[in-house]
Amino acid sequence: MEAERWTAFRSHYGLEALYCQPGIRGAHEKGGVEGQIGWFRRNHLVPVPEVDTLAELNAMIEQWDEADTARRIRSRPRTIGEYFASEQPLLAPLPDEPFETGRLFTLRVDRYSRISVRTNRYSVPVRLIGRSVRAMLHASELVVYDGREEVARHERLIAEGGTRLELDHYLEVLVRKPGALPGATALDQARSAGRFTPVHDAWWAAVKAHGERDGTRALIEVLLLGHHLPHEHLVTGLAAALKTGALTAEEDGNTPAEPVPPTADRSKATSLTSRRLAHLPHDKRPLPSVAHYDQLLRLRRPDRPTS
């Protein structure tokens, strides 16, 4: 029995399905394919590679696959790439539109700002609590849409009963309840994923000198800048703020920015105030004058002589 998604896939690409005989009777029909899969596994996946994400593993497999085109199978006169080059003109052209292999779900966001996809839970922005969203589940990631807008992207959880939370999704609530941040599960997962770095912790510890609650709120306000700034730029800015003693979410406009050499790395922190002023149009208005206030001086009573 063909699976529904497989039928849709082969229909999209115009494939003609040819099935082997089941059991021992068909064991000889695809031995070459299984043999080459075993060769690839023994030569590239033994021992098991250590990676941080599925995307990193997929990139490694793609590199091995590209390098495999120069290999000869046993004593054959040509390489795998040369055989493919001779067969490629005989293949049918690909369709203009790719086939969407993901599974689409329509889900309701619970009161904890999470959606449940196949026994696992994933966070979405808190503004979506109580609303319905669309989730596209791929082999290695989950993408969540509110209408046509992408609102969340998570690496897919493989085990059952797991939870993946993104700290950025809860910042709008935490800025009103900063006391909930230190024990938040989303903060622990952000540390494990490297999104909340030791630089964040060092700046947080320094700013808490002005008070636990106010310091935590200041940190959350800094994290909210990540909605508009790349993560590496935000970390660089926090590191520079630690050196200069800047302990607020906004830069002090009275502090002159140090000149940046022309060959400086773009990842270095620069003055946001200077950058904004550089893009403002030239002000042609005359300087204000306080001369008309001098008439008040003439109405002042003379000082009485002392006796």
Side-chain angles (χ1 to χ4, degrees), residues 13-307:
Y13 287 104
L15 303 178
E16 181 180 352
L18 177 64
Y19 298 101
C20 299
Q21 298 183 65
I24 299 178
R25 291 180 302 167
H28 66 284
E29 295 184 340
K30 51 187 175 62
V33 174
E34 291 188 351
Q36 290 306 309
I37 293 175
W39 183 94
F40 191 93
R41 179 182 60 82
R42 291 188 299 272
N43 285 269
H44 297 300
L45 301 176
V46 178
V48 178
E50 295 184 4
V51 295
D52 295 327
T53 62
L54 287 175
E56 183 180 349
L57 178 61
N58 287 333
M60 294 170 61
I61 292 177
E62 187 174 356
Q63 292 177 359
W64 296 331
D65 192 32
E66 290 291 337
D68 203 44
T69 58
R71 180 172 64 92
R72 282 185 171 86
I73 299 178
R74 301 187 185 90
S75 59
R76 295 186 182 183
R78 290 189 289 177
T79 64
I80 294 175
E82 291 171 343
Y83 278 114
F84 177 73
S86 63
E87 294 178 1
Q88 190 172 12
L90 305 177
L91 299 177
L94 292 173
D96 296 332
E97 295 293 332
F99 180 80
E100 178 56 70
T101 58
R103 292 288 302 273
L104 183 64
F105 300 89
T106 300
L107 306 165
R108 189 173 182 85
V109 183
D110 65 16
R111 61 175 179 169
Y112 301 108
S113 192
R114 302 175 307 185
I115 56 175
S116 180
V117 183
R118 289 195 167 182
T119 74
N120 292 317
R121 293 180 175 86
Y122 303 85
S123 68
V124 298
V126 292
R127 60 182 172 83
L128 300 175
I129 290 178
R131 295 172 55 178
S132 294
V133 296
R134 293 182 301 114
M136 183 65 72
L137 182 64
H138 297 278
S140 57
E141 66 178 1
L142 174 76
V143 186
V144 186
Y145 298 93
D146 177 30
R148 298 188 175 212
E149 178 190 4
E150 180 182 324
V151 294
R153 184 180 291 264
H154 296 278
E155 184 177 351
R156 179 177 178 176
L157 292 168
I158 304 302
E160 295 183 357
T163 302
R164 177 148 287 158
L165 307 178
E166 183 70 34
L167 182 59
D168 285 350
H169 295 161
Y170 298 94
L171 294 178
E172 286 80 0
V173 172
L174 291 172
V175 75
R176 299 194 301 268
K177 300 178 179 180
L181 177 63
T185 304
L187 177 60
D188 294 335
Q189 293 192 7
R191 281 198 176 101
S192 301
R195 299 288 297 177
F196 197 90
T197 65
V199 176
H200 288 84
D201 276 317
W203 192 88
W204 189 10
V207 79
K208 281 195 294 187
H210 301 288
E212 184 80 21
R213 182 180 180 86
D214 292 340
T216 302
R217 181 179 286 111
L219 171 69
I220 297 171
E221 291 174 352
V222 169
L223 294 177
L224 283 169
L225 296 176
H227 293 174
H228 312 286
L229 295 175
H231 177 260
E232 58 273 13
H233 291 183
L234 185 59
V235 175
T236 303
L238 285 175
L242 279 172
K243 294 181 180 179
T244 59
L247 301 179
T248 59
E250 297 181 358
E251 185 179 6
D252 184 4
N254 298 324
T255 304
E258 297 181 0
V260 180
T263 58
D265 187 359
R266 291 187 177 183
S267 63
K268 292 185 177 180
T270 59
S271 171
L272 294 178
T273 303
S274 301
R275 188 174 66 178
R276 294 191 188 106
L277 292 177
H279 291 82
L280 290 177
H282 180 66
D283 192 354
K284 299 180 180 180
R285 296 175 297 178
L287 293 176
S289 174
V290 295
H292 56 282
Y293 288 102
D294 291 344
Q295 58 182 326
L296 298 177
L297 299 176
R298 291 193 295 272
L299 297 178
R300 188 178 60 181
R301 295 181 180 181
D303 294 337
R304 296 181 179 180
T306 58
S307 58

